[in-house]
Amino acid sequence: MSLVAPHGGGGLKPRALEGEALAAEKARARALPQLRITSRERGDLIMLGIGGFTPLEGFMTRADWEGVCREYRLASGLFWPIPITLSSKEKIEKDVALVDPESGEALATMRVTECYKIDKAKECEAVFRTTDAAHPGVAMVMAQQEYNLAGPVKVLSDGGFKAKYGALFMTPAETRAQFEKLGWSRVAAFQTRNPMHRSHEYLAKVAIEVCDGVLVHSLLGALKPGDIPAEVRTKVIAVLIEKYFRPGTVVQAGYPLDMRYAGPREALLHALFRQNYGCSHLIVGRDHAGVGKYYGPFDAHKIFDQIPADSLQTQPLKMDVTFWCYRCAGMASGRTCPHGEEDQLQVSGTQLRKWLEQGAEIPAQFSRPEVLEILKDHYR
């Protein structure tokens, strides 16, 4: 068996330039008007560059935006769950260089084919199911500039992700090559923006039972305040893989997006770009990509049943809530454990961060000792 095909049915379509073409376009970028983009737009741009958003060639048109918000479809009819857009405070109708929000480096050039306005509240209601400004994704959209720019991009840089994260920053072509080297065809992606604790470890091991291996795929972009940084999370994952997984069953990598906290819609996007990375399955647990109380705990399970069956090749591995059960004397889930909540240790990432901030004692059943040592050191 072979790996799943990239989204759209063709090959990967990275927009990053190399060699002489890269040098020439960098020189051209210096003479173009400069547009400083946001952190979220930078992540999207780098994903376009490495082929993570195959088959997109750039930022979406108004027709694309409308179709994605309304019916999960690009203007071409291809399934896509969340708008990938770029905003500008001024009306621009010519080529422009897209500049890193922090370093000022030219990350890409863009041929602007359309400049349009959107109804931001409409996008928020469609994507996040709310227009509440306290929702971090809503706040991100409402902070966008007045105009959206559409058009193909030529990507000149990975924004420093390779320099910062080294071999952890893998492109879809690189993960696919690694899976093929390992002889994998059924690959489950484990999406994480938190350090892995015992419940996460349990989910990954359940997936290994039914797949050839697991890609533990960490978000390397921006999170909400208080979340644990990627450098710490990836260190935790590395020690967990080394000490508690069989060799050859897990690949750890990272990807450059910021979190949108779009719950069910973001779960679909996670499955879509994991298809480009070569994953046949996505582990979807409780409150996948959620925040606060904006989504039901298993809304991200249900949404996969609400889209047409041919929308994605990558399919969900729907997992119930998992926990340590003192009466079972081991990890269990809502589907396997007959005991009540009084016998269960269920702890959220928020509770773990609170314990760490307070220097409180953390139950050994919640997290491995090697993991806790790294996290405690970070908080010290």
Side-chain angles (χ1 to χ4, degrees):
M1 292 180 64
S2 57
L3 296 170
V4 292
H7 189 54
L12 290 171
K13 296 182 179 178
R15 301 297 296 171
L17 300 181
E18 297 178 344
E20 292 181 4
L22 173 60
E25 197 65 16
K26 278 186 172 181
R28 193 174 84 88
R30 288 193 285 269
L32 292 174
Q34 309 282 294
L35 177 63
R36 192 173 290 267
I37 62 177
T38 67
S39 174
R40 192 270 297 163
E41 292 164 344
R42 173 179 58 188
D44 291 349
L45 181 65
I46 295 166
M47 283 290 273
L48 288 165
I50 63 178
F53 280 164
T54 295
L56 297 187
E57 296 183 351
F59 292 98
M60 292 181 178
T61 65
R62 180 176 178 82
D64 289 330
W65 173 85
E66 185 76 43
V68 169
C69 287
R70 187 178 65 249
E71 55 186 7
Y72 301 78
R73 298 280 172 188
L74 300 172
S76 67
L78 183 69
F79 177 82
W80 203 280
I82 288 180
I84 306 298
T85 57
L86 179 77
S87 71
S88 167
K89 66 180 179 181
E90 299 173 346
K91 198 168 186 178
I92 298 175
E93 296 177 323
K94 54 188 176 182
D95 289 9
V96 65
L98 305 180
V99 174
D100 188 283
E102 296 164 7
S103 70
E105 174 194 15
L107 297 175
T109 61
M110 179 177 180
R111 178 166 60 84
V112 179
T113 59
E114 187 180 355
C115 182
Y116 61 97
K117 293 184 178 183
I118 63 165
D119 182 338
K120 296 179 187 177
K122 177 180 176 180
E123 176 174 330
C124 291
E125 192 60 53
V127 174
F128 304 110
R129 301 184 180 179
T130 181
T131 56
D132 183 355
H135 186 295
V138 170
M140 199 182 301
V141 170
M142 298 308 290
Q144 289 175 188
Q145 303 291 347
E146 184 175 2
Y147 297 97
N148 274 7
L149 305 180
V153 295
K154 294 179 180 178
V155 179
L156 312 175
S157 168
D158 66 12
F161 278 89
K162 194 71 172 180
K164 185 173 183 179
Y165 295 105
L168 277 175
F169 182 66
M170 298 178 74
T171 68
E174 289 170 338
T175 56
R176 285 173 168 271
Q178 182 68 13
F179 300 158
E180 288 173 351
K181 181 179 177 181
L182 290 166
W184 295 359
S185 60
R186 287 174 56 87
V187 185
F190 178 74
Q191 153 73 30
T192 181
R193 68 178 195 258
N194 291 307
M196 286 180 73
H197 49 65
R198 292 292 296 272
S199 287
H200 299 146
E201 177 189 336
Y202 178 76
L203 292 177
K205 287 178 174 175
V206 169
I208 290 169
E209 293 285 0
V210 296
C211 294
D212 298 321
V214 167
L215 172 67
V216 176
H217 213 198
S218 297
L219 179 133
L220 302 178
L223 297 157
K224 57 184 172 58
D227 283 351
I228 294 171
E231 303 92 285
V232 179
R233 286 184 278 114
T234 54
K235 188 176 179 182
V236 162
I237 293 164
V239 75
L240 199 61
I241 292 170
E242 178 190 355
K243 302 288 187 181
Y244 297 101
F245 285 84
R246 282 185 64 88
T249 61
V250 184
V251 171
Q252 184 188 181
Y255 67 100
L257 291 183
D258 290 7
M259 279 298 297
R260 284 172 161 84
Y261 302 98
R265 283 238 192 185
E266 194 158 3
L268 295 175
L269 184 68
H270 285 164
L272 186 154
F273 71 72
R274 269 32 179 273
Q275 183 176 324
N276 289 329
Y277 278 87
C279 299
S280 58
H281 295 81
L282 173 70
I283 297 170
V284 184
R286 183 182 182 277
D287 197 28
H288 187 105
V291 64
K293 302 293 184 183
Y294 293 100
Y295 315 108
F298 298 106
D299 283 0
H301 286 191
K302 298 171 187 173
I303 201 167
F304 282 90
D305 299 325
Q306 296 164 358
I307 61 174
D310 62 350
S311 299
L312 295 166
Q313 288 188 48
T314 297
Q315 295 298 301
L317 286 177
K318 300 176 183 178
M319 303 289 198
D320 208 327
V321 59
T322 56
F323 45 81
W324 178 275
C325 175
Y326 289 99
R327 289 183 67 185
C328 291
M331 294 303 302
S333 77
R335 288 179 60 84
T336 62
C337 177
H339 305 121
E341 288 187 7
E342 68 277 7
D343 296 310
Q344 300 168 2
L345 177 64
Q346 294 188 30
V347 183
S348 67
T350 302
Q351 179 62 59
L352 173 62
R353 288 191 294 273
K354 185 180 291 186
W355 280 342
L356 289 165
E357 288 164 1
Q358 295 171 346
E361 191 65 31
I362 300 172
Q365 294 88 351
F366 179 70
S367 198
R368 298 291 188 180
E370 297 89 345
V371 167
L372 289 177
E373 191 53 43
I374 293 170
L375 295 176
K376 288 176 181 176
D377 185 60
H378 167 68
Y379 276 86
R380 280 195 290 265

